[in-house]
Amino acid sequence: MKIHAISQTLPHARYQRCPQCDTLFSLPDVKSHQSAHCPRCNAEILSGRDWPMTRLMAMAATMIVLMPFAFSLPLVDIRLLGMRINASVLEGIIQMTQQGDVLTASMVAFCTIGAPVTLVAGICYLGIGHRLGMNLRPVLLMLEKLKEWVMLDIYLIGIAVASIKVQDYASLEIGYGLAAYIALTMLSVLTLIHLNMEQLWEHFYPQTPGNMARDDMQVCLNCHNTSIPDERGRCPRCHTPLDFRRRHSLQKSWAALIASIVLLIPANLMPISVVYLNGSRREDTIFSGILGLGEGNIPVAAIVFIASILVPFIKVLVMLTLLLSIHFRCEQGLRTRIRLLRFVTWVGRWSMLDLFVISLTMSLVNRDQLLAFTMGPAALFFGAAVILTIMSVEWLDSRLLWDAHATGNADYTD
């Protein structure tokens, strides 16, 4: 559905500021199968993908039933040195912890277990807490930030990559927990697609739309409500402080980006995995591991190369370009920069694939002195760099791009 920027005050209109470019426009009634986009930057303001709480609760209940089987039962099995070895999500995290890589194990545990469990618990809290009259605002705010950290789908790709790598050492069989994990992944993806946070906010905390456009109306970046701040300077709907622009956005984004650049250097130069085979030691960096994987399966090696090398470096280059364009108030290429920002926001989470592959491989072959797979020192640096690049994108207020462009008095062109 196309919507137009306001030219005059309209009766009974709902006014909305775009959270990405700060344009104020009138928002018409949007039906359940329609979506509304900003007339200036084409950002999605309202989505037609909406499930009622009853269906979300049913999905959450089903995921609760599947989680114990998906996380603890074997995903793949191998027969190695006369032993039958099972690999599960929990076993990989335990192996990483026992080797002393607690921080790296925590990253894997949060993205594969912690975030999905929190998502399910949050949905259940909304359904039950609403009936008990509980405060739902903290959970709604948390769910909006949590969505990009649920990485069950990426871990599923990691299972395939780890299975191909392990085939060099032993025969592989599918474990009976894989079906539960695939079902859990599909349910989580569907739930995230239809978890319409704007509709949930409107359902639990409906706001009376203003019928007059005012320059002091601000959009809340947490719940996307457009309103005038209350007497304490807060959003009337979610009660978080309202600011004209996100506080210290550039400083935090620069800090996270510079730290990620520093960490990517040892992450790519130091070994990320170490294999002991018949008394010999073989160390692999991210790139050498990809080359070894490419000798047997080029498509899988290409996937790992894109996720582990191409995506992190593209994110760094894009963020450097965006931040420098804000500082130097670039007038050209605004539309391209906006597209790049949306792209790195979507693709950044896939860089965690390498850590998931390591976790699974450790649980499969780290069993005997004749053959052992351990994590190299680069794993921690790489995981921290991936998280910092995600945070750098999250902390950047995209409206600063439009502010810098506006000061140049240039047309909105490529």
Side-chain angles (χ1 to χ4, degrees), residues 313-323 340-341 344:
F313 281 97
I314 286 178
K315 287 189 67 176
V316 167
L317 291 176
V318 169
M319 289 304 297
L320 278 173
T321 301
L322 297 180
L323 291 173
L340 288 173
L341 179 59
V344 296

Side-chain angles (χ1 to χ4, degrees), residues 348-362:
R349 56 200 293 273
W350 284 91
S351 298
M352 291 295 290
L353 176 64
D354 226 14
L355 290 188
F356 297 158
V357 173
I358 292 173
S359 174
L360 271 168
T361 309
M362 287 178 64

Side-chain angles (χ1 to χ4, degrees), residues 59-69 120-121 124 184:
M59 296 289 281
T62 308
M63 285 191 284
I64 290 174
V65 174
L66 288 172
M67 279 179 175
F69 303 102
V120 170
C124 293
L184 177 64

Side-chain angles (χ1 to χ4, degrees), residues 355-372:
L355 290 188
F356 297 158
V357 173
I358 292 173
S359 174
L360 271 168
T361 309
M362 287 178 64
S363 65
L364 280 171
V365 299
N366 190 28
R367 300 304 176 106
D368 195 273
Q369 292 181 351
L370 296 178
L371 177 61

Side-chain angles (χ1 to χ4, degrees), residues 254-270 312-313 316 320 378 380-382 384-386 388-389:
W254 267 117
L257 181 62
I258 293 172
S260 67
I261 294 173
V262 172
L263 291 173
L264 280 174
I265 296 173
N268 284 273
L269 297 180
M270 299 176 70
F313 281 97
V316 167
L320 278 173
L380 176 60
F381 296 114
F382 181 76
V386 171
L388 283 170
T389 54

Side-chain angles (χ1 to χ4, degrees), residues 30-43:
V30 179
K31 299 180 180 179
S32 59
H33 63 279
Q34 295 177 319
S35 297
H37 295 262
C38 172
R40 186 185 189 192
C41 70
N42 202 38

Side-chain angles (χ1 to χ4, degrees), residues 66-345:
L66 288 172
M67 279 179 175
F69 303 102
F71 295 149
S72 61
L73 293 182
L75 301 172
V76 289
D77 303 332
I78 66 169
R79 189 171 294 278
L80 181 64
L81 304 174
M83 298 174 55
R84 189 174 187 84
I85 303 174
N86 303 322
S88 65
V89 178
L90 281 173
E91 183 62 30
I93 296 170
I94 292 171
Q95 287 289 333
M96 296 174 80
T97 305
Q98 289 177 347
Q99 287 195 11
D101 298 304
V102 179
L103 291 177
T104 313
S106 300
M107 298 177 195
V108 177
F110 175 73
C111 296
T112 57
I113 299 178
V117 170
T118 307
L119 172 69
V120 170
I123 293 174
C124 293
Y125 181 92
L126 293 179
I128 299 173
H130 178 60
R131 299 176 183 177
L132 299 178
M134 302 173 69
N135 182 16
L136 307 181
R137 291 183 179 89
V139 176
L140 289 168
L141 293 171
M142 178 268 298
L143 286 177
E144 179 65 34
K145 303 296 183 182
L146 186 71
K147 294 171 70 174
E148 64 178 318
W149 296 99
V150 180
M151 302 185 186
L152 294 175
D153 50 341
I154 302 176
Y155 195 90
L156 186 61
I157 304 298
I159 295 173
V161 175
S163 300
I164 293 171
K165 293 183 69 172
V166 171
Q167 281 182 342
D168 295 337
Y169 308 107
S171 59
L172 189 75
E173 296 179 4
I174 295 177
Y176 41 87
L178 185 60
Y181 186 87
I182 292 175
L184 177 64
T185 301
M186 293 177 63
L187 290 177
S188 69
V189 170
L190 287 173
T191 301
L192 290 173
I193 290 174
H194 294 280
L195 188 65
N196 193 321
M197 297 308 303
E198 174 61 32
Q199 296 295 337
L200 289 177
W201 276 109
E202 193 62 29
H203 174 70
F204 293 120
Y205 298 100
Q207 298 293 304
T208 302
N211 57 4
M212 181 180 297
R214 294 178 50 173
D215 292 335
D216 57 351
M217 297 178 92
Q218 293 178 244
V219 61
C220 175
L221 296 184
N222 295 304
C223 71
H224 294 178
N225 178 51
T226 298
S227 59
I228 300 170
D230 62 14
E231 64 278 1
R232 298 174 62 181
R234 305 179 307 173
C235 169
R237 183 158 73 175
C238 69
H239 294 174
T240 57
L242 276 180
D243 296 300
F244 179 69
R245 293 294 181 263
R246 182 175 286 162
R247 292 185 181 181
H248 310 300
S249 172
L250 283 178
Q251 293 89 332
K252 292 190 292 185
S253 188
W254 267 117
L257 181 62
I258 293 172
S260 67
I261 294 173
V262 172
L263 291 173
L264 280 174
I265 296 173
N268 284 273
L269 297 180
M270 299 176 70
I272 197 169
S273 63
V274 182
V275 178
Y276 296 91
L277 180 59
N278 295 325
S280 63
R281 175 188 173 100
R282 175 186 170 184
E283 296 181 348
D284 276 322
T285 62
I286 296 176
F287 188 70
S288 66
I290 293 172
L291 292 178
L293 190 60
E295 294 176 359
N297 197 309
I298 293 179
V300 174
I303 293 174
V304 178
F305 173 78
I306 292 172
S308 301
I309 294 183
L310 197 60
V311 168
F313 281 97
I314 286 178
K315 287 189 67 176
V316 167
L317 291 176
V318 169
M319 289 304 297
L320 278 173
T321 301
L322 297 180
L323 291 173
L324 289 174
S325 71
I326 293 174
H327 279 282
F328 291 103
R329 303 187 181 278
C330 294
E331 301 177 6
Q332 302 299 321
L334 178 59
R335 190 187 299 271
T336 301
R337 281 179 274 138
I338 294 298
R339 289 171 179 167
L340 288 173
L341 179 59
R342 292 171 183 169
F343 172 74
V344 296
T345 302

